[in-house]
Amino acid sequence: MSGTSTLLAPSILSADFTDLRSSIALAEKAGADWMHCDVMDGVFVPNITFGPFIIQAVAACTPTIIDTHLMITDPDRFIADFIKAGSHQITVHQEACPHLHRTVQYIRSLGAKAGVSINPATPLSTLESILPDLDLVLLMSVNPGFGGQKFIPSSVEKIAKLHGMRNEMNPDMVIAVDGGITEENAGEVVEAGADALIAGTAFFRAENPEATASKLRGLHR
Ligand code: DX5
Ligand code: ZN
């Protein structure tokens, strides 16, 4: 995929929820490729965010791809609701799915793209058997639960390793990296093999979000 610009997915977790429509318009104007929506249940991660109702509101504000990141236990219970609400991509956590293959097939059977995410302490080997069936892997570069955390440096090596696995097993699969992305570290993250950058704080809290977006999207993979 070399020569293509990097995909940017602003995470609405850091958006202004008193004026969500304007935040989404800002992301859209800045060239966001996906709107990243972080769903947390207070069980799988130590924080609670929102459910399908907010996804529906986001989808009503923009034609952009809705990328839903489910940080919830036993996500199968709610996958249909999130797709009905307007999610085009659903990412579940490997750690939260005892029957991951079934979950991935289920997402695809409902017409959405299927992604799997792993936490920083989870080895890439846990994805080996499922990799050929995925549209996307979301590599966590912070421990999930909160925006504004610091990028874990060992993630770079993990991205590079996943990049090798992807090329061998599923060349069409997208590698997304989530957590602590900044203008400063984005270069090495893309160089290591990321196709998509999830950016909450770096985009929505930037002095000039459009300039930040153009820098991040301007990186070539
Ligand atoms: C963390 C979420 C991230 C988060 C990223 O659990 O999955 O998507 O919003 O926020 P930043 O970019 O601020 O680290
Ligand atoms: Zn996320």
Side-chain angles (χ1 to χ4, degrees), residues 11 13 36 38 40 69 71 140 144-148 178-180 198-201:
S11 163
L13 192 59
H36 186 80
D38 288 306
M40 306 185 188
H69 178 189
M71 287 160 276
M140 289 309 302
F146 304 93
D178 188 7
I198 316 301
T201 310

Side-chain angles (χ1 to χ4, degrees), residues 5-221:
S5 58
T6 301
L7 301 169
L8 176 66
S11 163
I12 65 157
L13 192 59
S14 301
D16 176 2
F17 270 74
T18 65
D19 193 2
L20 195 51
R21 189 187 284 278
S22 302
S23 295
I24 290 163
L26 174 70
E28 205 179 296
K29 189 156 170 263
D33 297 280
W34 310 338
M35 296 292 167
H36 186 80
C37 300
D38 288 306
V39 177
M40 306 185 188
D41 67 352
V43 178
F44 180 67
V45 289
N47 195 7
I48 299 177
T49 56
F50 48 77
F53 187 70
I54 294 287
I55 304 288
Q56 205 177 350
V58 174
C61 292
T62 180
T64 311
I65 291 172
I66 309 290
D67 175 51
T68 300
H69 178 189
L70 296 181
M71 287 160 276
I72 66 175
T73 304
D74 194 7
D76 298 47
R77 295 171 297 155
F78 296 106
I79 284 168
D81 293 338
F82 281 105
I83 293 174
K84 213 184 289 165
S87 307
H88 302 95
Q89 304 182 161
I90 297 276
T91 294
V92 295
H93 267 261
Q94 183 275 337
E95 302 88 351
C97 300
H99 304 290
L100 189 56
H101 186 270
R102 181 184 291 151
T103 303
V104 165
Q105 299 312 312
Y106 180 49
I107 295 169
R108 285 182 150 181
S109 77
L110 296 176
K113 289 194 172 176
V116 171
S117 184
I118 54 170
N119 288 335
T122 304
L124 286 168
S125 56
T126 59
L127 295 178
E128 242 171 60
S129 307
I130 195 74
L131 212 78
D133 299 299
L134 298 182
D135 297 299
L136 148 85
V137 165
L138 181 70
L139 207 71
M140 289 309 302
S141 42
V142 298
N143 288 292
F146 304 93
Q149 301 181 80
K150 210 173 163 323
F151 182 85
I152 298 171
S154 58
S155 310
V156 175
E157 211 182 303
K158 218 171 166 185
I159 298 164
K161 203 168 156 195
L162 176 61
H163 188 249
M165 288 166 70
R166 187 271 297 276
N167 290 350
E168 211 173 287
M169 299 166 72
N170 184 358
D172 294 330
M173 191 197 86
V174 170
I175 298 175
V177 179
D178 188 7
I181 297 294
T182 62
E183 281 185 33
E184 288 68 40
N185 62 25
E188 64 171 337
V189 168
V190 171
E191 205 171 306
D195 304 301
L197 299 172
I198 316 301
T201 310
F203 177 75
F204 282 110
R205 305 286 162 91
E207 226 164 87
N208 183 345
E210 284 190 60
T212 300
S214 106
K215 271 191 205 148
L216 298 181
R217 295 184 78 239
L219 296 165
H220 286 280
R221 42 189 168 118

